Amino acid sequence: MGARGAPSRRRQAGRRLRYLPTGSFPFLLLLLLLCIQLGGGQKKKENLLAEKVEQLMEWSSRRSIFRMNGDKFRKFIKAPPRNYSMIVMFTALQPQRQCSVCRQANEEYQILANSWRYSSAFCNKLFFSMVDYDEGTDVFQQLNMNSAPTFMHFPPKGRPKRADTFDLQRIGFAAEQLAKWIADRTDVHIRVFRPPNYSGTIALALLVSLVGGLLYLRRNNLEFIYNKTGWAMVSLCIVFAMTSGQMWNHIRGPPYAHKNPHNGQVSYIHGSSQAQFVAESHIILVLNAAITMGMVLLNEAATSKGDVGKRRSKSGCYFCSFALVLRFI
């Protein structure tokens, strides 16, 4: 029964092949060619990506930050394929640009890039680059960028979002703040290693030596240590420094002022309530000192001994000066 059934099954299969539509063979051939072409395109993309990553790794082995012009920017950052993140600093370091903030930001950026380059977690998923205005003017025009320095993160896929631009004016450009921002955008954590700086230690040693020498020379008369006016002046200096925002400047590292690259206008007061310039701290310090001095002079004029008319005239002058300072604020 089984032997007789086998030929009948072969005859039925032959009938099905004979009845197969003749137009399906070109379709199958076209589908096969399409699959081969897609496979070849995917292979080409993989080879192109491997070449780009290999080139970036070679540049990173030479220096932690590589400079880019317009062609390199479009090839390695804008054009796909990409499976790596790129941090780009847009700056203007040429002397004729007179951008002191750019030089300060570049130092912090260099510290951050070196910390990543020589860390054990270094890999080909994150790279640091720089575009100078005089070397990549077309890049600045393409991104509609009119200020420097600016830090941007270009993700592996898609376009940069608003959060991929570092808020330099509010946070400052300290390497630690940049590392925190990079961790938020790329999940790559960089531990910042700063080169040893002995200037603070030397300054402290000189201060201790100066105070020690002064005490030694005045060892027979140390009444000045109990001088209330001297200690009051030292306390006021500390208060002025703290209330003017000097500690904030030390932590965030803001620029001294901001120069508009279009009209050259210099701003000493920050436009946001969440940030400040170093010059703004100096202005606040002077104003606080003026107000304090006015209060002290008013008190001295009111309590000093002498002619009542002269005391009143002094008090009036001091009060007017004090009022002018408050009006200015």
Side-chain angles (χ1 to χ4, degrees):
M1 190 70 180
R4 288 195 299 271
S8 64
R9 286 195 295 270
R10 286 195 293 269
R11 286 194 297 272
Q12 292 175 2
R15 294 192 193 97
R16 286 196 295 268
L17 289 174
R18 285 197 299 271
Y19 292 126
L20 190 66
T22 57
S24 62
F25 289 104
F27 174 77
L28 293 176
L29 182 60
L30 179 62
L31 183 62
L32 180 61
L33 292 176
L34 182 62
C35 293
I36 295 175
Q37 185 177 4
L38 290 176
Q42 183 66 26
K43 187 67 175 179
K44 184 178 180 181
K45 287 184 178 179
E46 293 178 357
N47 293 335
L48 179 60
L49 178 60
E51 291 177 2
K52 292 169 68 174
V53 173
E54 182 180 0
Q55 182 65 66
L56 292 174
M57 290 296 292
E58 181 182 353
W59 288 342
S60 297
S61 63
R62 298 175 184 175
R63 55 180 59 188
S64 55
I65 301 175
F66 39 85
R67 306 175 75 96
M68 286 193 169
N69 53 21
D71 295 335
K72 291 181 180 179
F73 179 83
R74 285 183 285 272
K75 178 180 178 181
F76 292 95
I77 297 180
K78 298 294 291 184
R82 255 188 3 258
N83 64 349
Y84 50 85
S85 294
M86 182 72 72
I87 307 298
V88 184
M89 175 185 177
F90 298 91
T91 184
L93 294 176
Q94 297 300 323
Q96 65 269 20
R97 300 299 174 184
Q98 298 181 356
C99 183
S100 59
V101 181
C102 296
R103 292 190 292 270
Q104 298 172 12
N106 181 53
E107 293 176 359
E108 294 293 320
Y109 190 54
Q110 191 72 47
I111 291 174
L112 176 65
N114 288 335
S115 300
W116 168 245
R117 174 64 185 85
Y118 298 106
S119 68
S120 58
F122 176 75
C123 62
N124 58 2
K125 298 300 181 184
L126 179 65
F127 297 98
F128 291 86
S129 63
M130 177 190 303
V131 177
D132 193 280
Y133 180 79
D134 295 284
E135 299 173 359
T137 308
D138 53 340
V139 179
F140 278 75
Q141 296 175 352
Q142 180 182 353
L143 298 176
N144 295 325
M145 193 170 296
N146 54 14
S147 63
T150 300
F151 297 94
M152 286 189 65
H153 164 243
F154 291 87
K157 295 181 180 180
R159 297 181 177 181
K161 300 179 181 179
R162 183 176 181 181
D164 288 315
T165 300
F166 183 67
D167 194 350
L168 179 69
Q169 301 296 335
R170 185 176 65 87
I171 304 177
F173 48 75
E176 290 78 8
Q177 298 298 329
L178 287 170
K180 184 178 179 181
W181 168 67
I182 292 174
D184 293 337
R185 304 310 304 165
T186 65
D187 291 331
V188 175
H189 298 271
I190 304 176
R191 184 180 177 183
V192 178
F193 293 95
R194 291 185 175 274
N197 186 3
Y198 301 105
S199 60
T201 305
I202 295 174
L204 180 60
L206 291 175
L207 179 61
V208 172
S209 301
L210 180 62
V211 173
L214 181 62
L215 292 176
Y216 178 77
L217 294 175
R218 299 290 300 273
R219 61 185 181 276
N220 296 326
N221 185 10
L222 299 177
E223 294 181 358
F224 69 95
I225 297 179
Y226 304 98
N227 190 327
K228 296 181 180 180
T229 304
W231 286 111
M233 294 297 294
V234 172
S235 301
L236 284 176
C237 291
I238 296 175
V239 171
F240 292 153
M242 294 297 106
T243 56
S244 62
Q246 294 296 330
M247 185 57 66
W248 191 92
N249 294 338
H250 179 73
I251 296 174
R252 298 297 181 90
Y256 187 83
H258 175 68
K259 184 178 181 180
N260 194 313
H262 295 290
N263 53 24
Q265 183 179 0
V266 180
S267 300
Y268 298 99
I269 307 296
H270 200 281
S272 173
S273 61
Q274 303 295 325
Q276 68 178 18
F277 296 132
V278 176
E280 193 172 347
S281 300
H282 295 167
I283 295 173
I284 296 299
L285 189 148
V286 172
L287 291 176
N288 289 342
I291 293 174
T292 304
M293 184 60 66
M295 293 296 296
V296 171
L297 293 177
L298 282 174
N299 181 69
E300 289 292 332
T303 57
S304 62
K305 297 179 180 180
D307 186 29
V308 177
K310 291 182 179 180
R311 283 190 296 166
R312 287 180 179 177
S313 62
K314 287 183 180 180
S315 299
C317 293
Y318 295 149
F319 181 78
C320 291
S321 301
F322 181 66
L324 287 175
V325 173
L326 292 180
R327 175 59 180 163
F328 175 77
I329 297 174

